[in-house]
Amino acid sequence: MSEIQKKYIPISLPDTGEDEWLATKDSIMSGWLTAGPKVREFEANFAKLHQVKYAMAVTSATTALHLALVAIGVKPGDEVIVPAFTWISTANVVLYCGAKVVFVDVDRRTFNIDVKDLQSKITDRTKAIIPVHLFGLCSDIDEIKKIVKDIPIIEDGACAAGASYKGRPAGSLGTIGCFSFHPRKSITTGEGGMITTNDDKLAELLSSLRNHGASISEEERHNGSKPYILPDFNLLGFNYRMTDLQASVGIVQLNKLTKFIEERNKWAEYYTKQFEEIDWIITPSYNENYKHGWQSYVLYIDESKSPLTRNKLMEKLQDLGVSTRPGTHAPHMLHFYAQKYNIKPDDFPGAKDCNNYSMSIPLFNKMKIEDYEYVVNCINSINLKK
Ligand SMILES: *Cc1c(COP(=O)(O)O)cnc(C)c1O
């Protein structure tokens, strides 16, 4: 590699710039900063794109998931099924409701719920299941539905804005969908999230729960003709409102989502083609039923054939200036859950392997052709040393 100029390529960078900056100006100049007209516009656009009746903006996917569980009535004594390979907050929100996390194993090829492991996790206390559309690939919802029947499905679509399954968008596949606009996701508002549903009653409840459980919105209250009205509160709610500043950025980002995903798809295909001949790299697995959202491009390293272990490979790539990360983690192996439920890593062997052998490589909209080529060259140079 000595003749190649060394580069530095981060794992991800949000694609924000002048458009997003200018978009915040209206809100700042108008003085209406919290949830108001921009949030409503962002929600309407998001709902349209994901083919749902309602979209409600909140502060993160974590708070979206929390509200979803509260809205369907998850409480102490209940169980909620969560995949054992996901960001920790998918599990944490269950504990916020005082309920029990029941992990289900994942498939090493799709990184999503292993449907074969699901039946045995269902009990008469199962109140909900949270399938995760990890890295932008939807869970196999039809197969999951066959097993869970009418147990409510809360989609963790944190990575899956714009993705779809058999032609149906993420967020429209279950009872409630939850999305993230953290800068590591395909579109961002800094921090932020969205809840989707087609259910009128749940929508009303979710909308009130994110605003302290208030009976009317801030906008209705301040723009109405009755200044003496304070909302009534019938519920224990939260302040999970998104600001108009964030929504202004979200509107611009959402307009670019389709283009972002097309570009990501093109580069994902490029990577997959380049690694075809390398027998120790298993590239992301999906078929024509799925439109992948490509929040991350995640490889699975077959250490029985690879010249280096996954961790050594990551170190070597880091030395060459290519950032990598484990795909995500297995919450059942994290101290908190391992101890709380007395779980061993091998209780969920699929999730354990994904935890140990997954490797996310750079793929983001600001990346240039020569950056992709550099990543491939670096990996090839390691392969040739085999
Ligand atoms: C990022 C992520 C979350 C959390 O999203 P926030 O908006 O940061 O709260 C939850 N679940 C999955 C699968 C994620 O990737």
Side-chain angles (χ1 to χ4, degrees):
M1 299 277 308
S2 51
E3 72 280 14
I4 301 174
Q5 181 69 38
K6 185 174 164 182
K7 283 176 165 277
Y8 169 71
I9 304 172
I11 190 69
S12 175
L13 268 183
D15 192 343
T16 51
E18 191 108 355
D19 298 345
E20 287 75 8
W21 177 51
L22 287 174
T24 60
K25 190 175 164 190
D26 284 353
S27 307
I28 292 188
M29 298 305 283
S30 79
W32 189 279
L33 301 181
T34 186
K38 295 292 177 185
V39 165
R40 271 189 285 115
E41 185 182 340
F42 184 34
E43 291 173 339
N45 297 354
F46 196 91
K48 189 162 176 232
L49 191 74
H50 293 82
Q51 296 172 30
V52 287
K53 207 158 156 191
Y54 303 99
M56 288 155 281
V58 290
T59 50
S60 68
T62 305
T63 56
L65 288 163
H66 182 200
L67 286 191
L69 295 184
V70 172
I72 61 164
V74 173
K75 50 186 187 323
D78 292 335
E79 296 176 354
V80 176
I81 300 175
V82 171
F85 185 58
T86 182
W87 185 242
I88 191 170
S89 62
T90 318
N92 286 352
V93 293
V94 177
L95 297 185
Y96 297 169
C97 300
K100 184 181 176 200
V101 179
V102 175
F103 289 111
V104 57
D105 208 2
V106 299
D107 183 288
R108 292 171 183 80
R109 293 294 164 265
T110 63
F111 302 118
N112 282 331
I113 286 180
D114 180 355
V115 181
K116 293 189 296 301
D117 194 42
L118 192 50
Q119 186 68 57
S120 65
K121 308 296 171 182
I122 298 171
T123 72
D124 52 12
R125 294 182 174 184
T126 310
K127 189 70 181 236
I129 177 168
I130 314 183
V132 176
H133 305 325
L134 206 57
F135 313 133
L137 180 71
C138 287
S139 286
D140 194 351
I141 293 290
D142 287 351
E143 291 306 308
I144 290 172
K145 270 190 186 153
K146 280 184 200 159
I147 295 169
V148 304
K149 308 226 162 55
D150 44 13
I151 295 170
I153 294 176
I154 311 297
E155 295 171 68
D156 180 341
C159 309
S164 61
Y165 170 79
K166 299 182 183 173
R168 289 131 59 199
S172 74
L173 305 170
T175 313
I176 299 175
C178 301
F179 294 86
S180 173
F181 308 123
H182 181 274
R184 261 311 290 279
K185 318 299 182 187
S186 314
I187 53 170
T188 187
T189 60
E191 296 279 356
M194 192 71 82
I195 313 178
T196 55
T197 188
N198 283 314
D199 185 300
D200 302 341
K201 284 216 173 68
L202 281 175
E204 198 182 311
L205 186 56
L206 286 160
S207 174
S208 161
L209 282 170
R210 75 174 156 175
N211 184 26
H212 306 286
S215 54
I216 56 171
S217 75
E218 292 295 279
E219 242 187 322
E220 284 172 277
R221 184 155 84 85
H222 290 291
N223 295 335
S225 59
K226 299 186 168 72
Y228 49 85
I229 286 195
L230 274 175
D232 196 5
F233 296 88
N234 309 310
L235 303 160
L236 177 66
F238 306 86
N239 179 356
Y240 287 168
R241 294 186 305 253
M242 178 182 274
T243 66
D244 256 26
L245 282 178
Q246 291 167 298
S248 307
V249 174
I251 291 165
V252 176
Q253 287 268 295
L254 190 65
N255 281 335
K256 300 178 181 173
L257 177 61
T258 306
K259 179 179 104 275
F260 281 173
I261 293 181
E262 274 170 19
E263 271 173 30
R264 284 168 179 255
N265 189 56
K266 183 181 98 186
W267 289 110
E269 283 177 0
Y270 167 79
Y271 272 151
T272 298
K273 184 106 191 79
Q274 299 302 311
F275 302 139
E276 215 168 46
E277 305 290 318
I278 303 183
D279 64 351
W280 48 271
I281 290 182
I282 299 167
T283 53
S285 166
Y286 60 102
N287 61 34
E288 62 286 354
N289 281 336
Y290 298 84
K291 182 178 160 215
H292 206 307
W294 295 116
Q295 178 261 337
S296 292
Y297 184 87
V298 182
L299 303 173
Y300 185 98
I301 306 303
D302 180 351
E303 286 194 358
S304 71
K305 297 178 183 153
S306 58
L308 299 171
T309 62
R310 195 269 319 248
N311 289 353
K312 286 283 173 212
L313 186 62
M314 291 175 76
E315 281 175 15
K316 180 77 193 155
L317 287 167
Q318 187 77 14
D319 288 346
L320 295 167
V322 175
S323 305
T324 63
R325 298 283 182 277
T328 184
H329 49 212
H332 81 281
M333 290 166 67
L334 300 171
H335 192 80
F336 179 77
Y337 283 100
Q339 198 173 46
K340 181 173 179 64
Y341 293 131
N342 189 25
I343 318 176
K344 306 274 171 295
D346 283 322
D347 293 347
F348 301 92
K352 182 188 133 189
D353 284 351
C354 293
N355 184 84
N356 294 346
Y357 305 128
S358 64
M359 184 176 88
S360 174
I361 63 174
L363 186 147
F364 52 91
N365 296 94
K366 278 197 165 168
M367 250 175 99
K368 305 225 162 53
I369 297 177
E370 52 274 24
D371 298 334
Y372 287 103
E373 289 171 349
Y374 182 75
V375 173
V376 169
N377 285 339
C378 290
I379 291 178
N380 275 333
S381 75
I382 294 168
N383 184 46
L384 292 175
K385 295 220 175 73
K386 210 177 137 178

